[in-house]
Amino acid sequence: METSRRNFLKAGGACLLGLTIWPAVKGFAGNSTEYITSSKALSGEKWGLVIDMKKCWPKYQEGCRKCFLACQRAHNIPDIANKEEEIKWIWTEPYENAFPEQEHEYIAASIKGKPFIVLCNHCENPPCVRVCPTKATFKRRDGIVMMDYHRCIGCRYCMAACPYGARSFNFSDPRPFIKEVNPEFPTREKGVVEKCNFCAERIDTGLPPACVEACPAGALVFGDLDDPNSEVRKILASRYTIQRKPELGTHPCIYYLV
């Protein structure tokens, strides 16, 4: 009788846990038809981003940070002054750091030391997904690499596997460092990893990524890489672009015009 009672309580607890976690997972999980309910969702087979830094630099030098601020507001990213604990979804790195395999002593003065916008590359072959023991990080059907914060156990294997340094760990509770909470997106807690999600929650309601929408220079172009008529494909077909660490075989979906 006691054994039966224990089994019943275990089953009930598992059911309750599932009901608690499912809404959050459902809201941010996938591009498959069982998750998306909005008829306004953007249609794409493989999302990608083209970044034209020559358009960005003049605005950046004037102090423009609109893409960073838009991302921060949309995703409740904490503003932590301690560099060792800061949370980064989109930021800049000098050319030499962003593209170390393409840096040399005779690099053109026009790009040497210049800041380049960097973020999660939403790789076609993401090493972070392969190493995650709980499947907290996973890849949607449209190529977006996601995080399920409820499944993350803070092991940081994904951070070690990511060759782009695109993931951040919450060493402390991030909520006190959020200036204004966006109720449309979940806040995180201490002990979980987070990163750029290509604004999946916006794409699923028919909106472009927040950084793309906020850019006043049109330096960020978002679209379906599998659609030959999309703007990103037209740019890739007509202009020379580079990627970060392509030799690793991760096949990034972020391209840079040079």
Side-chain angles (χ1 to χ4, degrees), residues 50-62 64-67 117 210-221 231 235 239 257:
V50 175
I51 302 177
D52 186 346
M53 289 307 303
K54 286 188 176 181
K55 289 184 177 180
C56 172
W57 286 328
K59 293 288 185 181
Y60 185 83
Q61 290 169 349
E62 293 171 5
C64 178
R65 299 292 185 276
K66 290 186 177 180
C67 60
I117 293 174
C211 59
V212 175
E213 185 176 70
C215 180
L220 306 174
V221 181
E231 188 175 357
I235 293 174
R239 302 279 300 279
L257 286 169

Side-chain angles (χ1 to χ4, degrees), residues 141-157:
R141 292 183 182 178
D142 57 5
I144 299 178
V145 178
M146 297 285 288
M147 275 297 303
D148 181 341
Y149 308 120
H150 293 283
R151 287 181 176 270
C152 181
I153 59 174
C155 68
R156 291 183 278 175
Y157 285 1

Side-chain angles (χ1 to χ4, degrees), residues 65-163:
R65 299 292 185 276
K66 290 186 177 180
C67 60
F68 306 137
L69 294 175
C71 178
Q72 189 175 37
R73 286 193 297 265
H75 303 109
N76 294 317
I77 300 173
D79 186 9
I80 301 175
N82 184 351
K83 292 296 181 181
E84 294 182 357
E85 296 188 6
E86 68 177 338
I87 305 299
K88 300 184 294 185
W89 282 39
I90 179 172
W91 70 103
T92 61
E93 292 282 358
Y95 176 84
E96 294 85 341
N97 293 351
F99 305 95
E101 73 287 348
Q102 301 186 52
E103 195 271 337
H104 56 81
E105 60 180 315
Y106 304 111
I107 199 72
S110 59
I111 62 173
K112 187 175 183 178
K114 287 289 186 70
F116 276 74
I117 293 174
V118 293
L119 61 157
C120 171
N121 280 267
H122 296 279
C123 305
E124 193 172 331
N125 182 26
C128 56
V129 172
R130 292 200 305 273
V131 301
C132 180
T134 64
K135 305 302 180 186
T137 185
F138 59 96
K139 183 180 171 184
R140 299 199 332 171
R141 292 183 182 178
D142 57 5
I144 299 178
V145 178
M146 297 285 288
M147 275 297 303
D148 181 341
Y149 308 120
H150 293 283
R151 287 181 176 270
C152 181
I153 59 174
C155 68
R156 291 183 278 175
Y157 285 1
C158 62
M159 294 181 69
C162 176

Side-chain angles (χ1 to χ4, degrees), residues 200-255:
E201 77 287 350
R202 289 174 57 90
I203 292 170
D204 291 348
T205 56
L207 297 172
C211 59
V212 175
E213 185 176 70
C215 180
L220 306 174
V221 181
F222 181 78
D224 185 3
L225 293 171
D226 275 0
D227 180 4
N229 295 315
S230 66
E231 188 175 357
V232 289
R233 280 289 299 276
K234 291 178 180 177
I235 293 174
L236 293 174
S238 60
R239 302 279 300 279
Y240 179 69
T241 57
I242 59 175
Q243 295 172 295
R244 297 186 66 196
K245 303 181 180 180
E247 71 279 4
L248 297 180
T250 58
H251 302 294
C253 286
I254 309 294
Y255 296 81

